[in-house]
Amino acid sequence: RIFVLGIGFFTLCFLMTSLGGQFSAKRLGDSPFTIRTEVMGALESRGVLRRMSDMLEMLMKRMDILARLENSTDFHKGDEARFPLDRFQPAAGLMERIQAIAQNVSDIAIKVDQILRNSLLNGKVVEGRRDQCEVPRDPKYPDCAGKVEWMRARWTSDPCYAFFGVDGTECSFLIYLSEVEWFCPPLPWRNRTAALPSPPSLPRVQAAFQSDLAHLLELIGTGKESLSFMKKRIRHLAQQWLRAARRLEQKLKGRQRDQKHILIHIGFLTEESGDVFSPRVLKGGPLGEMVQWADILAALFLLGHSLRVTVSLKELQSHLGVPPGRGNCPLTNPLPFDLIYTDYHGLQQMKQHMGLSFKKYRCRVRVIDTFGTEPAYNHEEYATLRGYRTNWGYWNLQPTQFMTMFPHTPDNSFMGFVSEELNKTERQFIKSNKVSSMAVVYGKEASIWKGKEKFLAILNKYMEIHGTVYYETQRPPEVPAFVKNHGLLPQHEFQQLLRKAKLFIGFGFPYEGPAPLEAIANGCVFLQARFNPPHSSLNHEFFRGKPTSREVSSQHPYAEDFIGKPHVWTVDYNNSEEFEAAIKTIVRTQVDPYLPYEYTCEGMLERIHAYIQHQDFCTTSSPPLPPKAKSPAMQSPPSPLALSPNATHLVWSPSASRDPHAWPPVDSLQVWVSETRHACTETCRRRGLVCEPTFFRFLNKKEVFLQLSITCDSTEYEMNHLYPAVAENVHECYLQKEPLLFSCAGYNTKYRRLCPCRDYRKGQVALCRDCL
């Protein structure tokens, strides 16, 4: 009897649990895409209710039989009957409760039946809507029909479409194309407010300079040698960073700065891109990129911005809100970051996984680009037509979204890195402990030394030669026996070596790394080879495929052009006499440690602050369009430019209006005409100025040629990265048709170019005098 009661009670619990699971797992009518499945679930639930009611009835009948049997026995006699009788009393109460539950279940079954009839009826209406949708013919959405056709054929090609509710019906295509993408008009019967809730806009937080780098080190994470290297560098320079941040804070005098939400995705460190750098950290591989990334992280953090750091594709997808699938669909939510700093590898990964959202948000991207990307390589159509297409270009970004290690071309923004500064005591110590007969060779890989025996023999006559070439114990590197090789040194030990040495000598490679600046900052003279002819993608394998036509005249053009003698000597290594004469002079020359301001911590903080505050590629002003046919009554607006007092160039007219938000300020503009063999970069540099590509829009007018007394028998608008320009021999003038092709780089002997130049701050070529 007790056993039967127990079985009945546990059966009841099991059925109620199953029923609860059925109802909790199914929610009716959330969207047209789930009704059919959920109605089937409700039908199953109705069957469960009926079976449960039947089993309860059977249980009640069996308990009734037990009760009749109990009444007919004379088991209840004497004191012995108390225990069984007490046990039976609760059973009677249980029976009453089971009867009540059975009645409730019966009532629920009736109600579910009514709900199901209504649901099925409504489901038929919605199914009809889904199956009967027609592609709208709206001239505002010309691509709608073509996109629907594509969805019919390819909607199963990526699981992300099903994630957004596409199920193969016409209406699901139209809902997706109107509410997730934007190629079709919204369907009138859809409740878009419920489908697309708009998150409330959060109030802007003001950025405040940070003073504790411990949190940044946590953000960078662990697990890779490259990350360990960057964290060690940040810790080593921590005090210099903090002093620089305090100085900049005083310079800005409490100026209001919005805190930016910034994602830093270092694409070349992801496993998907091969992460070739992490294994080479301990083997002497090039570390310039990691030096730069470490300094970028430190600068952004100290300026007070909110950072997220990723070095894996999975983390990137999570932070961006990438839907599951192969990357064809837009992001599930608005991009939560104001800025994204990445590299070419990361840029490719973002494009692959963000779908149409990449085009929408690419104006927020900043690409850390070691060697630079010129406009001719950046514009996809132009690069394809004119033979400038490479593996790294054609992104159609604003060229100043690319940020370089050195100021190669003003077409890109100069990001840079930092070198360690010395205080007065350290500078004096270095000067008094220099070994005038000691030279250190630039290069940690044995291949750099091959074929250099002639130079090394000459150098060995005057100086003791030291190297820092990586080697394994059982395989020493192939360097001359008279070279004292220290092996790969930690950064602080390498600094100590430079502080003793008089000469730091380069043999042509690696190009444009941070080491020469570190050597000069530690009181070394840097000796490097002059390339004749200059190295470029046309004649040197290293530059082939890179998105630049830049001609490199030496191993380190920045050191040659912006520092020069006595700190930097550039000689022809093919001329033994010139090479030996330079060595003799360097041994006798005394130099002080020198570091350009733009490579100090304060200089980099100042530069990045200015970029974040003023560079806005999402709301750029539209450039002048090619003129249409005008009636005689229509007049061109007067040029804001005026001839300079000495009539050699144009400047911003004092009477012209100024946009207070324009950056750089237009007052810094000067317009010069180049020689036929000079790019605008060279034209401006010869006048102590810098080419400023954002000013091209003021030059791209026929009136400017007239103001410069240039005769134009004809004026044409064309796509060409050398325009605006004039072919003087035939009096033909050309204006730029495509704003993305405005370029400071490039020249052609046929043209003289119109060049926009500006002034710059001493030691900070990236910023004009009033740009901070």
Side-chain angles (χ1 to χ4, degrees):
R1 184 175 57 208
I2 299 300
F3 176 76
V4 171
L5 285 174
I7 291 295
F9 179 73
F10 284 113
T11 303
L12 173 62
C13 293
F14 172 76
L15 289 171
M16 291 300 292
T17 304
S18 300
L19 180 61
Q22 291 282 353
F23 281 123
S24 63
K26 308 296 179 182
R27 293 174 299 167
L28 298 179
D30 277 356
S31 77
F33 303 112
T34 55
I35 280 176
R36 177 175 293 174
T37 303
E38 289 164 351
V39 166
M40 290 304 294
L43 288 170
E44 293 169 3
S45 298
R46 182 171 62 181
V48 170
L49 284 168
R50 287 177 176 170
R51 290 194 298 273
M52 182 177 176
S53 182
D54 293 342
M55 290 183 73
L56 283 169
E57 267 187 58
M58 187 181 300
L59 183 61
M60 287 165 58
K61 288 177 181 177
R62 291 183 178 178
M63 290 184 70
D64 190 52
I65 293 170
L66 282 171
R68 285 198 299 272
L69 286 172
E70 199 68 36
N71 290 333
S72 63
T73 183
D74 47 343
F75 181 72
H76 302 287
K77 288 183 180 179
D79 292 338
E80 300 173 356
R82 288 176 189 162
F83 178 71
L85 184 61
D86 293 339
R87 294 291 305 271
F88 190 75
Q89 291 301 323
L94 178 62
M95 188 168 177
E96 291 176 2
R97 286 195 290 272
I98 291 174
Q99 287 176 332
I101 292 171
Q103 184 60 46
N104 289 336
V105 170
S106 179
D107 294 340
I108 291 171
I110 294 170
K111 289 179 181 179
V112 168
D113 201 46
Q114 292 172 349
I115 292 171
L116 286 174
R117 288 195 184 94
N118 293 333
S119 298
L120 288 170
L121 181 62
N122 292 336
K124 290 179 181 178
V125 173
V126 176
E127 287 296 325
R129 283 183 178 174
R130 292 172 65 200
D131 295 333
Q132 294 174 10
C133 280
E134 294 183 2
V135 179
R137 305 298 177 184
D138 189 333
K140 296 179 183 178
Y141 300 89
D143 299 322
C144 184
K147 291 292 181 179
V148 171
E149 189 66 30
W150 187 93
M151 291 291 287
R152 288 193 194 110
R154 301 290 304 279
W155 76 272
T156 58
S157 63
D158 194 324
C160 72
Y161 297 117
F163 172 82
F164 281 110
V166 177
D167 62 358
T169 59
E170 292 292 294
C171 284
S172 70
F173 298 154
L174 291 171
I175 291 170
Y176 174 83
L177 291 170
S178 62
E179 296 179 12
V180 180
E181 297 184 6
W182 46 88
F183 293 104
C184 294
L187 299 175
W189 51 271
R190 288 284 294 174
N191 183 358
R192 297 193 70 210
T193 306
L196 297 172
S198 56
S201 57
L202 298 175
R204 276 291 180 184
V205 176
Q206 290 300 303
F209 283 89
Q210 300 292 318
S211 58
D212 183 6
L213 288 166
H215 181 55
L216 173 62
L217 299 178
E218 292 177 10
L219 286 173
I220 293 173
T222 57
K224 291 177 179 286
E225 288 294 339
S226 49
L227 298 180
S228 299
F229 172 87
M230 289 191 280
K231 290 165 75 171
K232 286 178 184 177
R233 177 175 174 81
I234 291 171
R235 279 192 290 263
H236 179 69
L237 295 174
Q239 293 306 311
Q240 294 195 22
W241 278 117
L242 293 173
R243 287 194 295 269
R246 287 193 292 269
R247 289 195 295 268
L248 181 59
E249 186 176 14
Q250 293 170 359
K251 190 183 297 184
L252 295 178
K253 298 176 182 178
R255 194 177 304 172
Q256 295 291 300
R257 301 180 299 119
D258 285 343
Q259 185 187 64
K260 305 292 185 181
H261 296 279
I262 301 176
L263 174 65
I264 297 100
H265 177 61
I266 311 176
F268 73 83
L269 292 183
T270 61
E271 298 300 328
E272 289 77 10
S273 66
D275 188 14
V276 296
F277 283 87
S278 291
R280 297 169 70 183
V281 169
L282 302 178
K283 296 184 179 181
L287 303 179
E289 287 87 348
M290 281 179 283
V291 164
Q292 187 182 33
W293 274 108
D295 296 345
I296 292 169
L297 285 164
L300 291 172
F301 181 81
L302 288 168
L303 287 169
H305 299 292
S306 174
L307 309 184
R308 289 290 180 273
V309 183
T310 67
V311 291
S312 78
L313 185 57
K314 187 175 181 180
E315 288 178 321
L316 174 69
Q317 292 172 320
S318 174
H319 285 306
L320 294 178
V322 175
R326 300 190 179 94
N328 291 305
C329 298
L331 302 182
T332 55
N333 294 300
L335 186 69
F337 300 103
D338 302 301
L339 294 170
I340 299 177
Y341 286 81
T342 189
D343 52 24
Y344 261 121
H345 294 283
L347 195 64
Q348 183 64 50
Q349 290 168 352
M350 289 169 57
K351 182 179 180 182
Q352 182 179 352
H353 293 278
M354 289 176 67
L356 290 174
S357 295
F358 178 78
K359 185 176 182 181
K360 180 179 180 180
Y361 292 120
R362 64 184 176 183
C363 61
R364 303 188 192 183
V365 174
R366 306 294 183 265
V367 185
I368 307 305
D369 177 11
T370 305
F371 289 94
T373 298
E374 294 174 2
Y377 296 81
N378 171 60
H379 191 281
E380 184 174 14
E381 180 186 357
Y382 185 77
T384 303
L385 291 174
R386 301 295 184 93
Y388 290 104
R389 191 173 179 109
T390 67
N391 293 333
W392 301 102
Y394 63 84
W395 286 95
N396 291 325
L397 300 178
Q398 293 292 333
T400 37
Q401 287 180 254
F402 297 98
M403 308 189 116
T404 58
M405 184 173 283
F406 292 95
H408 309 303
T409 168
D411 291 324
N412 304 146
S413 297
F414 164 44
M415 172 59 77
F417 57 93
V418 304
S419 287
E420 188 170 355
E421 295 179 76
L422 305 176
N423 57 38
K424 290 183 179 180
T425 304
E426 291 170 328
R427 292 165 67 91
Q428 189 59 43
F429 178 82
I430 286 174
K431 288 180 67 175
S432 59
N433 286 274
K434 278 289 179 186
V435 180
S436 60
S437 60
M438 178 178 174
V440 175
V441 174
Y442 181 18
K444 294 175 286 187
E445 296 180 354
S447 59
I448 295 171
W449 296 67
K450 291 181 179 179
K452 308 301 188 300
E453 292 80 8
K454 181 179 178 181
F455 311 123
L456 291 169
I458 296 173
L459 180 61
N460 190 46
K461 289 171 27 179
Y462 303 93
M463 308 184 87
E464 182 182 77
I465 304 174
H466 294 251
T468 57
V469 183
Y470 169 79
Y471 66 95
E472 297 174 358
T473 306
Q474 64 274 22
R475 295 180 60 186
E478 296 178 6
V479 297
F482 53 77
V483 174
K484 185 177 181 180
N485 184 33
H486 299 262
L488 190 63
L489 293 177
Q491 187 68 14
H492 68 280
E493 292 185 27
F494 181 63
Q495 294 276 351
Q496 294 302 319
L497 190 66
L498 292 177
R499 292 183 179 189
K500 290 182 180 179
K502 179 64 176 288
L503 175 66
F504 190 61
I505 180 170
F507 286 135
F509 190 85
Y511 295 101
E512 301 177 304
L517 287 188
E518 294 176 352
I520 295 166
N522 282 287
C524 293
V525 173
F526 177 51
L527 177 64
Q528 63 173 346
R530 179 183 297 114
F531 300 148
N532 189 18
H535 292 180
S536 70
S537 58
L538 299 177
N539 62 10
H540 202 275
E541 187 61 32
F542 178 82
F543 291 99
R544 194 160 290 126
K546 291 183 170 57
T548 173
S549 298
R550 189 161 54 94
E551 296 179 333
V552 178
S553 58
S554 63
Q555 182 175 353
H556 208 291
Y558 176 86
E560 178 185 6
D561 296 333
F562 288 87
I563 301 178
K565 292 182 180 179
H567 303 280
V568 179
W569 289 64
T570 306
V571 301
D572 182 3
Y573 278 25
N574 293 320
N575 187 328
S576 300
E577 294 179 359
E578 182 182 354
F579 178 80
E580 189 166 1
I583 299 292
K584 292 179 181 178
T585 306
I586 289 169
V587 169
R588 298 191 302 267
T589 303
Q590 295 293 324
V591 295
D592 293 330
Y594 173 72
L595 179 63
Y597 174 74
E598 55 201 355
Y599 284 98
T600 65
C601 292
E602 185 178 352
M604 186 167 184
L605 282 171
E606 184 180 275
R607 191 164 57 249
I608 294 182
H609 156 74
Y611 289 153
I612 291 177
Q613 289 299 112
H614 299 292
Q615 283 186 336
D616 183 359
F617 302 111
C618 299
T619 57
T620 50
S621 57
S622 56
L625 297 174
K628 298 179 181 178
K630 299 178 181 179
S631 64
M634 294 178 66
Q635 298 293 327
S636 298
S639 171
L641 304 175
L643 203 61
S644 65
N646 59 7
T648 57
H649 60 282
L650 300 180
V651 296
W652 194 264
S653 173
S655 60
S657 61
R658 293 168 174 80
D659 180 358
H661 302 292
W663 194 83
V666 292
D667 307 73
S668 61
L669 169 62
Q670 296 184 27
V671 182
W672 291 84
V673 183
S674 76
E675 300 299 324
T676 54
R677 292 184 177 273
H678 289 168
C680 285
T681 305
E682 178 67 17
T683 299
C684 296
R685 183 184 298 155
R686 285 173 173 249
R687 290 161 178 84
L689 303 168
V690 175
C691 182
E692 178 51 62
T694 60
F695 288 154
F696 267 113
R697 66 183 189 274
F698 301 119
L699 281 60
N700 201 41
K701 300 177 181 178
K702 184 176 180 180
E703 292 79 8
V704 175
F705 290 112
L706 300 177
Q707 288 179 287
L708 289 166
S709 302
I710 295 174
T711 303
C712 298
D713 291 342
S714 64
T715 305
E716 301 291 338
Y717 272 82
E718 293 182 12
M719 279 203 316
N720 192 308
H721 69 288
L722 302 179
Y723 295 166
V726 56
E728 283 191 325
N729 57 335
V730 290
H731 302 296
E732 293 177 349
C733 297
Y734 300 93
L735 298 174
Q736 183 59 256
K737 184 179 180 181
E738 172 50 68
L740 286 180
L741 287 173
F742 283 137
S743 176
C744 292
Y747 69 88
N748 187 304
T749 55
K750 178 182 176 181
Y751 302 118
R752 296 185 68 193
R753 302 188 56 190
L754 299 190
C755 299
C757 307
R758 62 160 170 84
D759 56 35
Y760 60 92
R761 298 167 66 85
K762 183 179 180 181
Q764 186 74 286
V765 70
L767 304 179
C768 68
R769 290 171 190 164
D770 297 323
C771 277
L772 189 58

